């Protein structure tokens, strides 16, 4: 009887001991990448995330930061790195993400969101959670929605106040079919390109313009590449899923997985706030650097010009799903 009990105990202990590594013994050094420099809200958020994880894991988990395209020439390449496990964490716009998780493209429609309040409501609600979950099918763990911001059109040729003024401009878009279609519909001449190639392309006048949120324009000093005209078009909101390699996520003990999810959400709030709070100051500093900021943009003209793309993509994105986002209150 005693022998049987001992055997039972041994089996039980073996089961316990061969289970997943307990949080106390799990140690890792991870790579976090983005296209942006250390002063951009992506990397300010990333630094905070790394500090909090280090502190909360009592030094077991170190996250090294790789800003400014160090790990790839653009977000598509780096997302592939996430899939393969060569990169552990990535802050990226939705630019190329539709190629990995098609449902995410629904957020790329122009004039979908009214304002930041509307954005938070949708991204932090059931729709946002579903979109994050969908990434798992692509072997990617999407932890939370961080932020890039509302995007604006910039160019080297002249002020653009209404859609008509932009006709024929050669602009770079992200590698994103919805964005590409929207600019075509508006009569511009868009060409998709990885972010790492944009500054040089602008400098060499291969393209006349690009579109990005204030923070990206500011951190990259695009006025030094001849971008002297900035129009506050707010034509599309650019969310930034904070992605993790599913390989890395699955290898962590449950408690650390929870820690990452919780901390990513906490930093999302902080990161969105610092991004929004700094926009007006950045605009003023851009003006001091010689950028002409056009504030009184006729947004209705862009909205009207881009509207046909909603029916163009109706087979992939139903009106009901689009309406659920647009009408969220
Ligand atoms: O995510 O490629 C882009 O224009 C993105 O907005 C930028 O890299 C930040």
């Amino acid at each position: 009887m005693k022998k049987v009990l001992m055997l039972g105990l041994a089996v039980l202990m073996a089961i316990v001991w061969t289970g997943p590594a307990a949080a106390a013994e799990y140690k890792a050094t991870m790579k976090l990448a983005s296209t942006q420099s250390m002063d951009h809200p992506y990397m300010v958020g990333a630094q905070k995330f790394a500090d909090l994880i280090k502190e909360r894991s009592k030094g077991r988990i170190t996250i090294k930061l790789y800003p400014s395209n160090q790990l790839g020439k653009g977000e598509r390449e780096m997302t592939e790195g996430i899939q393969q496990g060569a990169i552990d964490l990535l802050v990226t716009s939705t630019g190329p993400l539709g190629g990995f998780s098609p449902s995410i493209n629904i957020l790329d429609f122009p004039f979908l969101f009214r304002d930041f309040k509307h954005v938070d409501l949708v991204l932090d609600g059931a729709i946002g959670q579903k979109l994050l979950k969908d990434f798992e099918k692509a072997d990617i763990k999407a932890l939370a929605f961080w932020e890039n911001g509302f995007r604006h059109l910039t160019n080297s040729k002249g002020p653009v106040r209404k859609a008509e003024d932009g006709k024929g401009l050669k602009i770079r878009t992200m590698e994103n079919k919805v964005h590409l279609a929207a600019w075509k519909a508006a009569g511009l001449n868009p060409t998709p390109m990885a972010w790492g190639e944009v500054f040089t392309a602008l400098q060499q006048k291969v393209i006349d313009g690009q579109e990005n949120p204030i923070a990206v324009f500011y951190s990259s000093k695009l006025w030094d590449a001849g971008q002297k005209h900035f129009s506050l078009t707010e034509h599309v909101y650019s969310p930034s899923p904070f992605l993790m390699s599913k390989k890395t996520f699955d290898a962590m003990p449950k408690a650390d997985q929870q820690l990452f999810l919780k901390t990513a959400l906490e930093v999302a709030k902080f990161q969105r706030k610092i991004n929004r709070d700094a926009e007006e100051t950045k605009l003023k500093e851009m003006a001091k650097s010689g950028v002409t900021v056009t504030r009184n943009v006729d947004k209705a003209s862009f909205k009207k010009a881009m509207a046909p793309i909603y029916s163009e993509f109706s087979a992939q994105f139903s009106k009901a799903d689009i309406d659920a986002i647009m009408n969220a209150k």
Side-chain angles (χ1 to χ4, degrees):
M1 186 62 191
K2 206 172 170 196
K3 249 188 184 164
V4 173
L5 262 181
M6 292 274 280
L7 193 68
L9 195 66
V11 169
L12 194 73
M13 281 162 85
I15 290 170
V16 171
W17 284 342
T18 54
E25 65 200 45
Y26 176 82
K27 284 195 179 72
T29 301
M30 299 180 185
K31 291 181 178 163
L32 186 158
S34 92
T35 56
Q36 299 299 304
S37 55
M38 287 306 292
D39 72 338
H40 184 278
Y42 276 8
M43 295 310 290
V44 178
Q47 181 73 64
K48 187 166 183 89
F49 184 78
D51 291 346
L52 286 172
I53 292 293
K54 177 141 218 153
E55 182 195 318
R56 292 171 180 178
S57 72
K58 307 211 173 7
R60 288 181 296 106
I61 305 173
T62 302
I63 297 171
K64 291 203 170 138
L65 307 181
Y66 295 84
S68 308
N69 285 108
Q70 284 176 29
L71 299 187
K73 69 177 178 184
E75 295 178 331
R76 182 166 50 78
E77 220 172 88
M78 287 192 256
T79 307
E80 282 161 10
I82 284 285
Q83 245 181 348
Q84 294 150 6
I87 302 175
D88 303 293
L89 293 150
L90 174 68
V91 194
T92 174
S93 74
T94 54
L97 294 183
F100 298 86
S101 184
S103 64
I104 195 73
N105 272 144
I106 198 166
L107 299 179
D108 294 318
F109 281 87
F111 300 101
L112 186 67
F113 291 102
R114 296 181 296 275
D115 51 25
F116 287 129
K117 217 176 133 202
H118 184 195
V119 163
D120 292 348
L121 194 71
V122 172
L123 298 189
D124 299 338
I127 297 173
Q129 295 318 298
K130 161 88 171 50
L131 294 174
L132 291 179
K133 188 142 189 26
D134 283 350
F135 278 94
E136 288 184 21
K137 292 177 217 148
D139 273 337
I140 295 171
K141 181 72 192 171
L143 300 175
F145 278 108
W146 288 12
E147 173 168 288
N148 198 10
F150 280 95
R151 301 178 80 93
H152 310 283
L153 179 67
T154 81
N155 82 98
S156 59
K157 295 254 161 126
V160 173
R161 202 186 68 78
K162 51 186 191 310
E164 185 71 19
D165 303 338
K167 282 243 150 67
L169 277 181
K170 268 190 99 171
I171 63 158
R172 173 266 180 177
T173 64
M174 299 198 288
E175 296 167 86
N176 182 301
K177 61 182 181 183
V178 181
H179 286 200
L180 200 61
W183 287 110
K184 272 192 191 142
L188 282 78
N189 188 358
T191 173
M193 196 182 285
W195 177 247
E197 292 167 344
V198 176
F199 193 93
T200 312
L202 290 169
Q203 224 171 16
Q204 295 176 345
K205 308 226 177 296
V206 178
I207 42 175
D208 307 315
Q210 61 90 47
E211 47 82 57
N212 248 303
I214 294 167
V216 170
F217 186 90
Y218 178 85
S219 286
S220 306
K221 298 190 171 58
L222 289 192
W223 54 88
D224 285 345
Q227 293 294 284
K228 298 290 187 196
H229 301 279
F230 191 105
S231 304
L232 280 163
T233 48
E234 292 185 322
H235 52 274
V236 68
Y237 175 75
S238 191
S240 299
F242 181 38
L243 304 182
M244 185 163 189
S245 168
K246 201 164 172 300
K247 289 195 173 77
T248 312
F249 186 83
D250 289 347
M252 289 199 297
K254 275 254 151 36
D256 285 331
Q257 292 179 344
Q258 289 312 314
L259 173 67
F260 269 56
L261 285 164
K262 183 183 134 223
T263 308
L265 258 185
E266 193 179 316
V267 175
K269 293 207 169 66
F270 159 83
Q271 193 271 344
R272 289 182 206 169
K273 181 165 175 15
I274 57 155
N275 186 45
R276 294 166 192 184
D277 287 353
E279 284 201 321
E280 196 50 45
T281 311
K282 288 178 181 172
L283 272 180
K284 292 208 175 93
E285 287 186 27
M286 280 154 48
K288 278 192 215 147
S289 302
V291 177
T292 305
V293 179
T294 302
R295 288 179 181 264
N296 62 338
V297 171
D298 177 2
K299 284 199 272 174
S301 71
F302 285 95
K303 191 173 177 179
K304 188 165 168 238
M306 292 176 171
I309 74 149
Y310 278 86
S311 47
E312 192 178 324
F313 287 99
S314 61
Q316 194 184 341
F317 302 103
S318 74
K319 187 166 180 320
D321 286 347
I322 297 265
D323 284 350
I325 296 178
M326 277 190 165
N327 301 330
K329 277 209 176 71

